[in-house]
Amino acid sequence: MPDFPLWPQCNIGCVFCSNPVEGYRHTTDKYAFEEIRRKVFDYKRGLQTFVKFDEVRDYFNLTGGEPTLHPDFLKILALIRTEFPQNLIRLLTNGRTLADPDFARRTCGIAGLPFEAAVPMFGGDAKSHDAISRTPGSFAQTSEGLRNLARHRKPGQIVEIRIIMTKVQARFLDGLLDYLLAEFPWVDRVVFLYEEIEGFAELYKDRLLFSQSECAAHLDRNYEKLRRFKDARLYHFSLCTVPTRLWPHVWNTLAGFKVTWLDGCRSRCRYREQCVGVHRSYQRHLGAPDIAPIEAERPVTLSGDPYHPVLSFDGDPVRA
Ligand code: SF4
């Protein structure tokens, strides 16, 4: 899964942004179409091209900044689709540009299949959403962008909403979920990501960080709402920090180099094979205080799939 940054600038200012603080936003000269075209062809020839996940060759994450702000975004999308007709293209966008219906229609048309758009939402109203994006008007535009994706996507194109779980976000979580269930029940997937503290976010880490188990408790409080989404997923959580009834929602997506294991993981944890491990930034910033080996069996059915290890919870959900 190469992360393919297309454009360093962004049109929102999230407090948890993982982009570098210095020397990134004003490097647009490195992202000219010809430079990106060269990278695409180098990658096709098997050369080392991307910083992150270069070795995984079946899909692209188009990132930034905000990738759709690139002046030649649609041309780049067409190039990637032509050169890699089978690969999944996942567009990580804040959705504001998709508020233009013509741009949304052309993006969906050019992207073809397989294609996913992943859009973050922060709050269930303008006040809460715009407080996190730090951009007035972004709630209305991102919401309209999602509606345009619903109108213009082709059969088989996937729309995902991402919720970046920080301490600030948790305050707005319940209202956000109510809004999503009422306005966007058609979305294919809602992903809750435990925040990786990197880049700009490090400046605000005291306001952002809380433990994984505190974070999981906020999600667990909304257990019934999570179950109403077509597909609700938790990314970047160690299994021991998550109530068992949420385990079927846990997906393992962290790259190996981002993960470490603690003593008890290797020697005493019954679910070591099913667990993603401990994120290095979690250990560095918080000391991973709630990581504890699971010694007793839990009432779950395992899937054998390392990415989605737990098929079902078989206990009493009220007492999980
Ligand atoms: S103790 Fe380690 S292996 Fe076990 S669930 Fe926690 S992080 Fe995963």
Side-chain angles (χ1 to χ4, degrees):
M1 171 181 56
D3 272 9
F4 191 171
L6 297 189
W7 194 241
Q9 293 182 22
C10 191
N11 55 357
I12 59 175
C14 306
V15 75
F16 53 75
C17 181
S18 59
N19 285 163
V21 180
E22 301 290 344
Y24 182 63
R25 290 280 187 245
H26 303 292
T27 56
T28 48
D29 50 320
K30 293 186 186 159
Y31 295 83
F33 177 76
E34 281 310 316
E35 181 62 18
I36 287 184
R37 188 171 184 279
R38 183 191 61 74
K39 280 189 181 173
V40 168
F41 282 103
D42 281 355
Y43 182 67
K44 195 170 179 183
R45 286 162 55 213
L47 299 180
Q48 189 82 19
T49 308
F50 299 105
V51 177
K52 285 189 183 173
F53 313 124
D54 200 84
E55 70 285 5
V56 186
R57 306 193 75 81
D58 56 351
Y59 58 106
F60 294 93
N61 281 340
L62 304 186
T63 69
E66 168 54 41
T68 63
L69 292 180
H70 194 295
D72 291 314
F73 170 71
L74 294 175
K75 210 166 133 188
I76 294 167
L77 193 58
L79 172 71
I80 296 172
R81 179 46 77 221
T82 303
E83 298 304 324
F84 295 92
Q86 311 293 331
N87 288 42
L88 169 62
I89 299 174
R90 179 180 295 122
L91 173 62
L92 305 182
T93 173
N94 64 50
R96 287 184 73 194
T97 54
L98 298 168
D100 174 349
D102 189 52
F103 184 76
R105 181 184 57 75
R106 294 171 73 198
T107 297
C108 291
I110 292 169
L113 286 173
F115 174 70
E116 298 183 6
V119 179
M121 282 295 296
F122 312 126
D125 54 32
K127 192 173 172 210
S128 53
H129 183 96
D130 295 355
I132 290 184
S133 70
R134 300 192 301 169
T135 309
S138 59
F139 172 75
Q141 287 171 323
T142 298
S143 295
E144 189 57 19
L146 284 165
R147 289 185 199 102
N148 281 333
L149 285 171
R151 286 180 196 116
H152 296 297
R153 67 174 169 164
K154 308 291 176 206
Q157 292 184 329
I158 302 286
V159 178
E160 169 183 306
I161 289 177
R162 295 194 158 195
I163 302 175
I164 315 300
M165 291 301 298
T166 62
K167 193 158 57 176
V168 176
Q169 179 64 73
R171 294 212 311 268
F172 304 134
L173 183 65
D174 299 31
L176 172 58
L177 297 182
D178 290 338
Y179 175 69
L180 298 183
L181 285 165
E183 290 290 319
F184 306 111
W186 52 267
V187 297
D188 301 289
R189 190 185 300 146
V190 178
V191 171
F192 301 86
L193 286 107
Y194 182 77
E195 166 71 338
E196 298 176 61
I197 299 294
E198 294 173 341
F200 187 77
E202 296 206 36
L203 295 179
Y204 296 97
K205 64 183 181 185
D206 293 341
R207 284 161 54 191
L208 297 171
L209 277 173
F210 57 171
S211 70
Q212 285 194 5
S213 44
E214 283 175 274
C215 180
H218 285 285
L219 295 170
D220 193 54
R221 181 161 45 76
N222 286 287
Y223 175 71
E224 293 302 335
K225 291 180 192 172
L226 261 59
R227 286 167 57 84
R228 288 169 55 201
F229 291 111
K230 280 188 187 176
D231 182 6
R233 298 186 181 185
L234 275 56
Y235 287 179
H236 306 172
F237 286 85
S238 310
L239 277 178
C240 53
T241 66
V242 177
T244 317
R245 67 178 181 173
L246 286 177
W247 283 18
H249 297 282
V250 172
W251 286 69
N252 295 338
T253 61
L254 281 172
F257 74 90
K258 289 192 167 190
V259 165
T260 186
W261 302 95
L262 305 189
D263 284 348
C265 298
R266 294 193 195 286
S267 55
R268 286 184 290 131
C269 186
R270 204 173 184 120
Y271 292 94
R272 155 91 164 78
E273 269 183 41
Q274 287 74 35
C275 181
V276 74
V278 184
H279 197 294
R280 289 183 188 279
S281 80
Y282 188 51
Q283 191 184 30
R284 187 168 69 248
H285 291 299
L286 275 177
D290 44 2
I291 300 299
I294 305 168
E295 300 190 43
E297 195 173 344
R298 302 281 180 91
V300 292
T301 302
L302 302 179
S303 67
D305 177 350
Y307 297 105
H308 183 212
V310 179
L311 211 50
S312 64
F313 169 69
D314 307 324
D316 177 353
V318 176
R319 291 188 298 154

